[in-house]
Amino acid sequence: MEQAVWRHLGGDLSSARRGAAAFLDTIADEDEGAGGRQSWFARWKKIGDDHYVLGDLNLKEGALDQAAEAWLCALTAFEIARRLIDEAGPQSEDVSARIDHGIQRFRSSQLQKLEQVNIPCSEQADLPAYYLRAGSSDLPSSAVICISMEQETAATLLGRLLPVMIGRSVSALVVSHCHVSHRARGQSESLLSYCLDYLAVRPDVDAARVGVYGDGLSAALATEFAASDHRLAAAVCDGGLWHWARIVPSVGWLTRTSDTVVDQDVVSARRTQTMRRVKCPVLVVAGGRGIVDVTEALKLQADCMAARIDLDLATPRMIRSPDREIDNFIVSDGCILEWLEQKLARRSTPRSLLRRKQDR
């Protein structure tokens, strides 16, 4: 196992991530409790630090691509380290700070690819976000609005997604859950629509091929957004199941019974009610650190198939240890991005050609 960890240093990003995924798949076999995880945390943190040093050396030599690749390897290592420890502890804060530094390193050497932007919003101050460009002004790309998990920053999600998104044909606008989550009805959807407005006028984005991806509790925000704004072309969300999960206990409370028998036809109709409002293909991520129960997701998928609604289901690969579960985010993120690429991929006319046609 130790050799599997240390062989990442010096390899390319693809091989480093394959090795990291293999480590996550076998960590349960090697888990020795808190002490064992602390040891692995220290090793993955050192791997990240060593990759940073390697990247900085490459930068001094003018090898920008090699420097960027080393920093992306470091971000993957730090994300693994972050999952091996208590998310609320000081060690997690230390790793999060390293992730922030890695993003700034990458941004400083790839100014044309990664930007810090502000989304104009009429109801409040501008919304801060990161924008990762995949296309060019002559050949606009598809794009995805990515919303971080609750209690995680946009930088944390970006640090996890950067290594898997580099080289793909999808651009990304990454925002924080805390910046777009509001109790006022319709406020979150309005803020996310401003994000879509921003992407729609960028010359490097095809406005007809924009999707949304909500991580964790943000999957519920993504569902409501997709149901309210039909400009979206794909959505990775909860399919309305979080809302349904809150309704069922309410029914029991109102009827003063905890074992209320609900007609299954009514249940199926309620499960698909939200999905009928969503006009784009949907991927529901069930299980793992998400908010969607696998059993309910399977029922929703069956209902949607019967109603001819385009819904796919993904279940993250989870590694169980004595006192926690760790998801193989490398495999899961790859599957989600591949699904988004497939659903958002279609031939479009470059905007430069559209301008020429309009000029004639």
Side-chain angles (χ1 to χ4, degrees):
M1 172 68 79
E2 185 169 349
Q3 290 180 350
V5 175
W6 289 105
R7 68 168 177 250
H8 302 314
L9 190 60
D12 60 22
L13 178 61
S14 179
S15 62
R17 286 180 67 80
R18 284 196 301 271
F23 167 81
L24 289 172
D25 279 341
T26 58
I27 189 173
D29 299 332
E30 303 289 332
D31 196 358
E32 300 174 358
R37 282 194 303 277
Q38 185 64 37
S39 175
W40 289 123
F41 163 78
R43 294 183 183 186
W44 278 102
K45 180 181 173 183
K46 186 176 189 309
I47 288 172
D49 288 337
D50 289 346
H51 273 299
Y52 274 172
V53 172
L54 179 60
D56 293 346
L57 290 174
N58 286 329
L59 181 63
K60 289 181 180 180
E61 296 175 359
L64 296 183
D65 291 341
Q66 290 88 336
E69 188 165 48
W71 294 328
L72 293 175
C73 289
L75 289 174
T76 298
F78 286 132
E79 182 63 24
I80 290 178
R82 197 174 70 87
R83 289 168 188 252
L84 292 170
I85 53 173
D86 183 0
E87 294 182 358
Q91 289 179 318
S92 181
E93 294 180 3
D94 179 49
V95 171
S96 295
R98 280 170 160 77
I99 291 173
D100 289 342
H101 293 158
I103 291 172
Q104 295 308 319
R105 278 178 164 97
F106 181 87
R107 181 170 175 262
S108 66
S109 67
Q110 305 285 330
L111 293 178
Q112 300 303 312
K113 291 185 178 180
L114 181 61
E115 308 171 40
Q116 284 184 281
V117 299
N118 291 302
I119 313 298
C121 302
S122 60
E123 287 92 347
Q124 61 175 46
D126 290 354
L127 181 67
Y130 289 97
Y131 178 71
L132 177 67
R133 181 180 62 78
S136 65
S137 57
D138 288 332
L139 189 61
S141 71
S142 58
V144 179
I145 301 168
C146 303
I147 316 167
S148 75
M149 182 178 288
E150 65 280 10
Q151 299 180 342
E152 289 186 356
T153 65
T156 299
L157 178 59
L158 177 64
R160 195 185 92 209
L161 293 182
L162 259 178
V164 73
M165 294 202 70
I166 289 298
R168 293 185 182 270
S169 59
V170 181
S171 297
L173 184 72
V174 184
V175 297
S176 171
H177 174 91
C178 69
H179 289 150
V180 297
S181 176
H182 289 267
R183 292 183 179 274
R185 184 175 179 82
Q187 186 71 10
S188 294
E189 297 94 284
S190 177
L191 291 171
L192 290 170
S193 286
Y194 284 124
C195 294
L196 184 46
D197 293 340
Y198 170 82
L199 291 173
V201 298
R202 284 192 67 110
D204 55 348
V205 172
D206 183 346
R209 297 189 293 144
V210 177
V212 63
Y213 166 33
D215 195 22
L217 193 58
S218 294
L221 300 181
T223 299
E224 291 302 316
F225 178 39
S228 66
D229 197 323
H230 295 162
R231 292 177 295 170
L232 288 169
V236 180
C237 59
D238 78 330
L241 290 176
W242 175 247
H243 179 67
W244 171 247
R246 290 182 296 173
I247 288 178
V248 173
S250 298
V251 172
W253 180 81
L254 290 172
T255 58
R256 299 298 191 270
T257 176
S258 60
D259 57 351
T260 301
V261 178
V262 183
D263 186 276
Q264 288 304 309
D265 290 337
V266 175
V267 173
S268 295
R270 284 295 187 95
R271 272 198 298 258
T272 56
Q273 184 177 16
T274 298
M275 285 305 306
R276 292 186 183 279
R277 295 166 49 212
V278 178
K279 305 304 181 183
C280 65
V282 164
L283 175 67
V284 172
V285 181
R289 300 202 309 164
I291 60 174
V292 178
D293 178 76
V294 175
T295 301
E296 287 301 313
L298 287 169
K299 293 175 182 176
L300 176 63
Q301 185 182 39
D303 293 339
C304 287
M305 288 180 63
R308 296 184 178 181
I309 297 173
D310 190 351
L311 182 142
D312 294 316
L313 180 63
T315 54
R317 185 186 300 176
M318 300 300 297
I319 301 91
R320 300 181 184 277
S321 60
D323 60 349
R324 70 169 61 192
E325 288 186 332
I326 300 176
D327 62 315
N328 194 325
F329 67 92
I330 296 173
V331 175
S332 298
D333 290 344
C335 291
I336 291 171
L337 264 297
E338 287 173 10
W339 183 89
L340 283 165
E341 273 190 314
Q342 178 185 5
K343 294 300 181 180
L344 297 176
R346 68 172 177 80
R347 298 181 65 181
S348 59
T349 305
R351 295 192 179 186
S352 59
L353 296 180
L354 288 174
R355 295 192 193 99
R356 292 173 195 166
K357 290 179 181 179
Q358 292 171 353
D359 292 340
R360 292 176 182 174

